Amino acid sequence: MFIGHFAVAFLLWRLFPSVPLPVILVSVSFPDLLWSLLVPAGVEKVRINPDSALQKLIVFEKYPYSHSLVLTNLFSLLVGAAIAAVLNNPLVLPIFVLGSVSHWILDTVVHLKDLPILGFNGDRKVGAGLWKRGPLSFVVEYAFYIIVTALVLSGLSLVYALILGTVFQLINLPSFISSNRKNMAKTSNGYAGLALVGFGAFTIIASILI
Ligand SMILES: [Zn+2]
C-alpha cells in the first residue's frame, strides 16, 4: 500500500496539529523506509517478478524487523522518542508510534498472508490479500485516500493533496492491473530503492505543499 498510508498521516495531523506534518509523514512510512534499507543490507528478503509489475506476485519472504506489529513498533518507539527529544515535543512519541502502527494495520488489508505479528521465529502471519484482486484494490485504496483526505484537509492543501495522491496512484497503476509491462525493478534491491524514492518523494513534496 502506498497513498493509503498518507491519508492516515493527514488525519493524524488534523487531530494533532502540534506535531509537524513531515514527522507524521515519516511515521506512516516508517516500516517501508526501514524495509527499503534492510533489503539491500541483506537482513530482510523479498522476491520480485522481473516480468510483471503486479504487486500480488511479489513475495515478501522475510521482513520481521520492518513489518511486524510488535518488533517494528519497538523500533518506532525508539525513533519516535529520539525525534520527540530533538523537537522537545513529547506528543511526537505516541503519534509517531501510532503512525507506524497504522501502516501495519493498513498493510494487513492488501498484503497476502505474510505480515508477522510478533516479529520473532515461529510467528503467526496475517494479511487479507486484497492485492489478489488488483483493480478492486486500486479503487479501494484510491477511494480511501480521497475520502479521508477530503474530510480532514481544506482549501489549497486539499487540492494539492488530491493531485499528489492521484499522480502517485497512477504511477502505481501497473502494480494493480495486468499488462504487458515488465517490472521497473529488475532486482529486489532495485525494488527496495524504488520504494525509498517513492515514499521519500511523496513525503518531501507533501511537506512543501501542504
Ligand atoms: Zn509496508
Side-chain angles (χ1 to χ4, degrees):
M1 178 169 286
F2 188 83
I3 61 168
H5 296 303
F6 292 110
V8 176
F10 299 143
L11 171 65
L12 287 173
W13 190 45
R14 169 75 191 264
L15 295 174
F16 307 98
S18 65
V19 179
L21 179 60
V23 172
I24 301 180
L25 292 167
V26 170
S27 76
V28 300
S29 316
F30 177 71
D32 278 8
L33 293 173
L34 188 60
W35 175 83
S36 70
L37 301 175
L38 293 178
V39 168
V43 177
E44 301 203 329
K45 298 251 178 292
V46 62
R47 194 153 31 90
I48 64 154
N49 182 339
D51 295 324
S52 168
L54 281 181
Q55 192 67 54
K56 68 176 179 187
L57 299 178
I58 288 166
V59 184
F60 296 94
E61 292 177 321
K62 189 174 139 222
Y63 55 174
Y65 301 104
S66 71
H67 275 77
S68 62
L69 177 60
V70 174
L71 190 53
T72 301
N73 289 301
L74 291 176
F75 295 131
S76 79
L77 196 73
L78 294 177
V79 175
I83 300 174
V86 170
L87 297 179
N88 198 14
N89 180 348
L91 190 59
V92 164
L93 171 56
I95 301 310
F96 193 90
V97 174
L98 201 58
S100 175
V101 168
S102 81
H103 181 110
W104 188 88
I105 292 171
L106 284 189
D107 269 3
T108 64
V109 177
V110 292
H111 274 244
L112 281 63
K113 226 172 173 174
D114 55 26
L115 288 160
I117 294 177
L118 298 175
F120 305 104
N121 280 344
D123 205 354
R124 228 187 107 193
K125 292 181 177 170
V126 295
L130 187 58
W131 273 338
K132 281 187 229 161
R133 306 181 68 183
L136 179 66
S137 180
F138 178 91
V139 172
V140 168
E141 184 175 356
Y142 189 51
F144 176 75
Y145 179 88
I146 296 290
I147 292 167
V148 173
T149 302
L151 286 174
V152 299
L153 294 182
S154 59
L156 258 188
S157 294
L158 173 60
V159 174
Y160 286 139
L162 294 180
I163 294 171
L164 197 57
T166 303
V167 169
F168 273 82
Q169 185 72 343
L170 289 176
I171 292 172
N172 258 340
L173 186 64
S175 71
F176 294 100
I177 288 165
S178 293
S179 71
N180 293 329
R181 239 182 86 175
K182 301 237 172 198
N183 201 331
M184 260 170 79
K186 300 293 166 231
T187 62
S188 52
N189 285 355
Y191 182 63
L194 278 180
L196 184 60
V197 169
F199 276 95
F202 193 107
T203 296
I204 291 168
I205 298 169
S207 297
I208 294 168
L209 292 178
I210 295 166

